[in-house]
Amino acid sequence: VPCFRNGDNMVYTVLKIEEDLDFGCEERIDSDPPKALVTLEDSLGEKKTVRVPDQLLYEREIDEGTIVCFDKESLPQKASLF
């Protein structure tokens, strides 16, 4: 599966995965799937945090230390490095 995000083929290392407990002033809506906060670092050492459905991380076998890129829906996937 190709990696791209707005034409960017950047890959990231997953540094940390945490449960997203911040729902603002309201509780999580039952229909809203549980999310995780994923801290990523690119090859330049720049860090960013993204909010991702927790189940997606399990389905795509993404753990701390995994190398990822973003698919066309801007969701992380394991990067195919060749």
Side-chain angles (χ1 to χ4, degrees):
V1 179
C3 296
F4 56 94
R5 182 176 190 176
N6 301 327
D8 180 10
N9 286 344
M10 184 69 74
V11 293
Y12 302 87
T13 301
V14 177
L15 297 180
K16 188 183 337 180
I17 299 173
E18 300 174 287
E19 186 177 356
D20 182 12
L21 299 174
D22 183 12
F23 306 113
C25 60
E26 300 179 19
E27 293 184 23
R28 184 175 64 85
I29 300 170
D30 289 338
S31 63
D32 191 22
K35 299 225 169 104
L37 295 175
V38 181
T39 303
L40 305 168
E41 183 177 45
D42 67 21
S43 61
L44 302 174
E46 298 291 324
K47 295 178 184 174
K48 70 177 186 174
T49 301
V50 294
R51 186 173 274 118
V52 179
D54 192 52
Q55 185 61 37
L56 181 108
L57 298 174
Y58 288 108
E59 290 170 359
R60 296 186 178 187
E61 299 177 352
I62 296 173
D63 298 305
E64 292 178 0
T66 302
I67 306 297
V68 299
C69 59
F70 288 87
D71 64 16
K72 63 185 175 186
E73 285 86 33
S74 295
L75 294 170
Q77 66 182 25
K78 282 187 174 181
S80 298
L81 302 177
F82 43 93

